[in-house]
Amino acid sequence: MNMSNKRISLFEPIIQSLIIFSCVYVGYTFTLTYDIIPKSIIRLPEVHVSTNDLWKLSIIFTTVFLLFLIPKQLISGRGVFFKPKRFASEYLVYLCAYTTASMYVFLATTINYDPQLIAAIGLFSTIIYFLFFIIWYAKKETEKSKFGGLYLVPFEVIKSLVSVKGVLVLIYFIFPLLLGKAFTSDRDIANLITQVRIWFNPIGNTAWGLNTLYPGIEFSQPILVKQAPGDSENLYVLERDGKIIKLQYPNSEKKELILDASSLLGEVEAENGALGFDFHPEFNQRNSINSHFVYLYYTEKRGEEQVNKISRFDLSSNDINSRLETEIPLLSLNRNAEGFHNGGSVEFGPDGYLYIGLGEGVHPKGITSYSEVLRSGVIRIDVDLTNTDTSFLPEGSFDHGNRQDYLIPKDNPFVGNPDVMDEFWALGLRNPFRFTFDPKTTEIWLGDVGSAVWEEVNIIEKGKHYQFPFIEGRHPTGKEKPENLPAPEQGPIYAYEHSAYDRAVIGGVVYRGDKFPELYGKYIFADNYSAKIFLLDNSDKENIDVKLIAQGSQYAQRGISSVIQLENGDVLITLLGAASTPTGEILSLISSDDVTDSGSSDANDEDNHSQSEYLEYDKEITRQLYVVNCSRCHGSEGRGDGPDSDALGAELPDFTSHEFQSSRTDSDIYSVIEKGGAPLQMSPMMPPWGGFLKDAEIDHLTTYTRELGKIEATDQH
Ligand code: HEC
């Protein structure tokens, strides 16, 4: 075999790659309506493939094909489309490339894997390959035997498939199918594959890492961390059960409790608890009457009642109990008690007014109008009560709660608009859990937690409507848009689609520190589920660039709860951790040059130290696990009526029903919790929890799902 005699053609592999590239789209369009693998053979789940995933798929397939076909071209020379023998041996290489690409997608990416689509890509590209050959061949054989040699093609293809090489290729080709089968039926193999998937999807070698501050100190669900104005030596951490803790920064021997509001909160579960706080801008200013005021947003849930409160506390007393007694609830908002979508941010703006993010859940059932209730937006109030030239006392009754001790700035955008309460600054947000002000431009950057598919980053402009509930991300939700919106619409500046792991945006900060010049002017934000930290660069407004820069521990809904920046340029992150054991952490973003082994946060460390704590089934702990992770879809009692259930486009089972309980084995339930709906021919909206929750936790949730069935039998309600 003398290579130098072979004429090679780059043209051929390029044509072939283009075929595979276009077949991703052809296959996608086809599978939107038709099934390649008939339902009668195997019922595959409907998998949602995003445009972004589609794009990635075509790039992966094209690249892998080029990697296989170019060397083949170099070895065998040109002739793919006009020499039957050459075509046949090329087809073996094609099969290898196809198999490699689909395995790569399955194992090494976070793309939602759709077997129908992968099959369609294979089928259509094969057909087009053969068509290409026929046309080309006919063109070449212009003279006498126009189609004379065509019969050779199937003959040669079969011949090469039954050769030793061919059999090896076929075994390789079948391997992923077997793997897929094993993945859905054998838990050990599924675990192994999940490990491989996680191994392939690490955070990568970015220039950034996370450092655990206070390694020796335990935090119980830290939800936000802040510094007080004018004090760079201390840090204040809000724990979800209502405690504000003071620590020296950056090193501290111990925690000092400065406010304990835990007795005010009632039950802390679902998304309830202490959500956000801020210091008065004149905090620490000796001659100001505001020098000890802190403002806290928390939920108070007792049984079927829930009130969300924004309260002021005065920390001037030395006695911590008397501090609690200074509470003045500025707002008490009655809501239905399911506990989700409260919003959470409480931030003083550069203008000295207090801005608060309120979720759509902050309303009694049935009330939808912005003229009646404060919910689903950002509000702005004047807590100083001093300047009645620029602010006025709210008028009129407030049926769904109570408001007191604040004024409304006259330049609020909806003042005088009968359709919107005067407090509002912006409308149409679903769950504005975290926002911050860009210290330089004073823009509000906000993470709006989405429902089933989209997460949004919004820049909040005065008087705009951010399109919830009729549009999420940039896509209509199917909910009807009200006829007369009280404000002009505004879409997000960035939206990302849920993957298996990215599911709940936590806002972040526009970085304005000196410490990391590369980050200057960019938005650092996080996702709560995946605990990933992203960097958003919008200097080119047309092409917003977002990249992953770091990742904290994965705790499912117990991941990142806030991202803040300090005056000195440090960026701090809170990791919520479990409710049952104090596994929360305060992390600091570092450039990886500074990463030390001892201090770096590593997901695996976490897994080890808490595994043993979960071995025993504890109904209460498991109930909390269920409430946090499952009830937003399945409902707090498992009836399939959680607040997100409408948005899933899937029927949810009723765990309390005899029908459900009697038709599933424990291992059925275990596998669906572990692997999610998709690989088990159920709705992909049921997320996989393996890898997030410990095996023992999944076991306990299985038991708990069973117990939900028993509740029905004993007390009928
Ligand atoms: C984002 C919404 C969502 C969340 C969160 C969620 N599920 Fe599901 N779950 C679904 C959907 C949708 C289905 C229905 C799948 C189908 O039948 O096609 C489902 C089905 C199930 C099933 C029944 C499967 C069967 O045999 O019919 C179990 C058990 C289950 N989920 C448990 C859980 C547990 C435990 C959690 C929390 C760790 C959880 N789910 C979290 C959406 C969700």
Side-chain angles (χ1 to χ4, degrees), residues 503 529 625-626 629-630 632-634 648 650-653 655 660 664 668-669 672-673 677 681-683 685-687 689 693 701 705:
R503 314 185 74 87
Y529 260 69
L625 202 61
Y626 175 86
N629 294 300
C630 323
R632 68 189 179 95
C633 295
H634 289 287
L648 298 173
E651 222 17 62
L652 281 155
F655 295 151
F660 174 86
R664 308 310 196 265
D668 290 340
I669 296 179
V672 71
I673 302 176
Q681 284 90 63
M682 291 182 207
S683 163
M685 288 301 178
M686 167 64 191
W689 299 90
L693 299 175
L701 281 167
T705 308

Side-chain angles (χ1 to χ4, degrees), residues 356-372:
I356 301 156
L358 296 173
E360 52 105 18
V362 185
H363 62 109
K365 269 215 157 61
I367 292 176
T368 52
S369 161
Y370 286 110
S371 64
E372 292 173 84

Side-chain angles (χ1 to χ4, degrees), residues 174-479:
I174 289 170
F175 181 68
L177 301 179
L178 298 177
L179 202 69
K181 181 83 196 111
F183 181 73
T184 54
S185 53
D186 184 310
R187 197 205 296 175
D188 291 333
I189 294 183
N191 276 339
L192 199 74
I193 292 175
T194 308
Q195 286 308 311
V196 175
R197 285 176 143 181
I198 290 174
W199 183 78
F200 265 112
N201 288 294
I203 166 76
N205 300 325
T206 77
W208 302 96
L210 296 167
N211 197 28
T212 309
L213 288 173
Y214 313 116
I217 295 182
E218 289 189 336
F219 294 98
S220 178
Q221 299 213 299
I223 200 140
L224 181 63
V225 55
K226 271 198 177 158
Q227 277 186 328
D231 171 12
S232 59
E233 291 182 0
N234 294 297
L235 208 61
Y236 295 83
V237 178
L238 175 63
E239 291 185 335
R240 194 176 162 209
D241 64 355
K243 298 193 180 79
I244 299 180
I245 287 152
K246 182 175 175 182
L247 300 128
Q248 283 171 354
Y249 184 75
N251 300 303
S252 194
E253 295 293 303
K254 57 172 178 40
K255 311 200 282 191
E256 182 196 344
L257 191 60
I258 62 153
L259 183 72
D260 182 359
S262 51
S263 59
L264 305 177
L265 271 58
E267 298 153 37
V268 174
E269 58 181 27
E271 293 168 6
N272 285 343
L275 302 169
F277 76 106
D278 204 3
F279 296 96
H280 194 283
E282 290 164 10
F283 195 84
N284 285 334
Q285 284 181 20
R286 278 178 185 212
N287 43 16
S288 163
I289 54 158
N290 300 313
S291 66
H292 288 89
F293 288 165
V294 62
Y295 296 78
L296 177 69
Y297 181 16
Y298 68 90
T299 66
E300 180 182 1
K301 176 168 190 275
R302 302 189 196 272
E304 297 297 297
E305 304 280 311
Q306 180 176 333
V307 184
N308 284 15
K309 287 189 177 165
I310 290 104
S311 290
R312 186 187 83 193
F313 295 88
D314 182 349
L315 306 183
S316 56
S317 164
N318 283 333
D319 172 28
I320 184 155
N321 294 325
S322 353
R323 290 179 189 167
L324 199 62
E325 285 156 19
T326 64
E327 174 175 26
I328 297 197
L330 306 182
L331 277 167
S332 306
L333 305 168
N334 301 339
R335 55 159 294 170
N336 58 324
E338 92 223 324
F340 290 91
H341 313 162
N342 296 303
S345 264
V346 182
E347 297 283 325
F348 276 94
D351 52 11
Y353 295 131
L354 188 61
Y355 292 71
I356 301 156
L358 296 173
E360 52 105 18
V362 185
H363 62 109
K365 269 215 157 61
I367 292 176
T368 52
S369 161
Y370 286 110
S371 64
E372 292 173 84
V373 62
L374 297 172
R375 55 126 215 181
S376 237
V378 173
I379 61 169
R380 176 186 187 239
I381 57 177
D382 174 359
V383 298
D384 287 352
L385 302 168
T386 47
N387 196 337
T388 46
D389 290 340
T390 49
S391 299
F392 63 94
L393 202 64
E395 269 173 49
S397 65
F398 185 47
D399 290 346
H400 308 292
N402 196 24
R403 50 180 175 180
Q404 61 177 17
D405 283 276
Y406 68 81
L407 303 179
I408 294 176
K410 285 183 182 160
D411 61 349
N412 266 9
F414 299 103
V415 169
N417 181 337
D419 296 332
V420 184
M421 287 181 67
D422 295 336
E423 283 88 340
F424 276 108
W425 183 253
L427 313 173
L429 296 161
R430 177 177 178 273
N431 191 12
F433 178 62
R434 288 283 172 255
F435 64 78
T436 59
F437 290 85
D438 177 339
K440 183 169 167 230
T441 65
T442 74
E443 276 170 338
I444 299 176
W445 285 67
L446 179 146
D448 192 15
V449 185
S451 176
V453 187
W454 292 98
E455 298 299 310
E456 293 184 0
V457 173
N458 294 288
I459 296 181
I460 298 300
E461 291 173 29
K462 174 181 181 175
K464 291 280 175 69
H465 190 299
Y466 287 81
Q467 303 178 312
F468 178 82
F470 47 93
I471 292 181
E472 277 206 279
R474 297 190 173 82
H475 301 260
T477 54
K479 296 226 166 77

Side-chain angles (χ1 to χ4, degrees), residues 566-578:
L566 305 182
E567 290 272 303
N568 74 351
D570 284 346
V571 173
L572 303 189
I573 286 138
T574 47
L575 263 186
L576 199 59

